[in-house]
Amino acid sequence: MTLVAPKLPSVAALDVERKEEDYYTSSKEDRFRSFASCEYDGQIYMTMQDFLESITEENPRPRIGRFKLRGEQVVNMLNNTPPRKKGSKNFFRSVLGRGIISYTEYLFLLCILTKPKGGFQVAFKMFDRDGNQRVDKKEFLLMEEIFRMKSERSVDDSDFVVQETTLLRYFFGSKGRETLDFNTFCQFMDNLQTEVLELEFMEFSKGMPTISEGDFAQVLLRYTQIDEDEKQSYFARVKDKIRHETGISFDEFRNFFQFLNNLDDFEIVMKMYTFADQSISQAEFERAVQVTTGHQLAPHLVDTVFQIFDKDGDGKLSQKEFIGVMKNRIHRGFREHLKSPVGWSGFKACVKHEIKYSV
């Protein structure tokens, strides 16, 4: 079987009225197009910098058209790929504009950002089709072939071949013969999550070791469907109720957002604690987090979360509102009209959804 890369539809195709169930993928496709700054051989690519900005910024940097790459420039980009043994939490920032990723890789990376650590094994098994505990280049590319095969507007196998990208070079080496074991795959996923969280934290920390509780509220309510006027009431509530700022460190910040990646399991646990979506106390919240993740959140961070969402001042949290808002936050607004998959099968459901509605 010839492996081919999936084409994005033409610009004209985007003008066709979309079905409501296509919202999830089409919004991602639109975002990819708006941030992708490069074009090569008729296809659109993101740089590593484009990807990071698409995750952390509302709008792309102003530009006139896309930069059309030449063959020798792509070769230089690929040769610039750091060796995998030097993989770190700065991989994307170390490459920035000197590397490219495809649309399907963009979808794959977005899935990684929302998966709990417990779901990394499921993700690995999705790629390890022969069950030998290693993922080779063919298995990885097969996921892209599945995207193409499931597309309503599929293209001929002879249309074009796979273009090597920075991510493929990083995973499988210059000759494409290297493989990924679970530990390496897991480390890449963890590093990517940490790198994006560091960027968001550093935007407010300005080089300091902590951010304020008010800054935390701003980060937390990003990408949610709360309108700006209502957000200001949330921020004002935090300012009024937290008189003495303790500050939130990066480790506390990261622990909280890693907990959010377990939100579906947290929701299940809370339904065991309460009935009819009753409001919950801080003690109940902390206990549910510990059951879900095996870790405790910093008490003053939990108190900050309650101050953000405690509208009536009764010291309790509306779990329905909290979970609803946070689901939009962790998916960065892409799942506005959709329910998230529940439990450890989250990554599998995410990939299946991408395959079903890939264009």
Side-chain angles (χ1 to χ4, degrees), residues 87-104:
S88 72
K89 299 178 180 66
N90 296 308
F91 170 60
F92 283 78
R93 284 173 287 183
S94 68
V95 177
L96 288 179
R98 302 186 304 277
I100 55 173
I101 59 174
S102 68
Y103 175 58
T104 48

Side-chain angles (χ1 to χ4, degrees), residues 149-162:
M149 295 290 287
K150 294 295 183 179
S151 172
E152 292 182 1
R153 291 181 295 273
S154 60
V155 296
D156 294 335
D157 285 358
S158 59
D159 201 11
F160 62 103
V161 298
V162 169

Side-chain angles (χ1 to χ4, degrees), residues 173-318:
S174 59
K175 296 182 179 179
R177 297 174 183 170
E178 297 178 22
T179 58
L180 290 171
D181 60 22
F182 173 69
N183 289 334
T184 305
F185 187 76
C186 184
Q187 190 62 59
F188 174 80
M189 296 175 77
D190 187 59
N191 284 345
L192 176 59
Q193 290 185 358
T194 300
E195 184 165 6
V196 169
L197 289 174
E198 278 185 356
L199 280 174
E200 293 190 292
F201 183 86
M202 291 166 59
E203 179 184 347
F204 289 91
S205 68
K206 310 298 184 185
M208 303 301 289
T210 63
I211 61 174
S212 70
E213 287 76 3
D215 291 338
F216 176 74
Q218 289 191 54
V219 178
L220 193 60
L221 297 180
R222 271 182 172 177
Y223 314 112
T224 65
Q225 303 308 310
I226 301 172
D227 64 45
E228 288 304 315
D229 289 341
E230 189 175 358
K231 280 183 183 179
Q232 293 306 315
S233 67
Y234 282 83
F235 301 149
R237 187 159 53 244
V238 172
K239 185 177 180 180
D240 291 341
K241 292 187 176 182
I242 300 179
R243 298 292 185 180
H244 304 287
E245 291 187 349
T246 303
I248 295 168
S249 69
F250 177 70
D251 284 342
E252 293 166 343
F253 180 87
R254 180 178 56 189
N255 288 341
F256 180 81
F257 281 96
Q258 288 178 339
F259 148 67
L260 286 187
N261 283 346
N262 290 272
L263 198 62
D264 294 314
D265 297 312
F266 174 80
E267 184 175 15
I268 293 171
V269 171
M270 287 314 307
K271 286 181 178 179
M272 297 178 182
Y273 271 95
T274 63
F275 299 96
D277 296 322
Q278 292 176 338
S279 295
I280 57 174
S281 66
Q282 289 195 30
E284 291 170 327
F285 182 90
E286 291 173 349
R287 173 60 179 160
V289 170
Q290 187 173 21
V291 168
T292 303
T293 66
H295 302 288
Q296 290 182 326
L297 296 178
H300 73 281
L301 187 147
V302 174
D303 181 64
T304 301
V305 171
F306 269 67
Q307 301 306 337
I308 293 172
F309 288 94
D310 183 14
K311 291 183 178 181
D312 57 12
D314 65 354
K316 293 191 175 184
L317 184 89
S318 166

Side-chain angles (χ1 to χ4, degrees), residues 137-152:
K137 188 174 182 179
K138 183 177 180 180
E139 288 174 317
F140 191 84
L141 288 175
L142 185 58
M143 295 303 295
E144 295 191 352
E145 172 68 1
I146 292 173
F147 274 93
R148 188 196 68 85
M149 295 290 287
K150 294 295 183 179
S151 172
E152 292 182 1

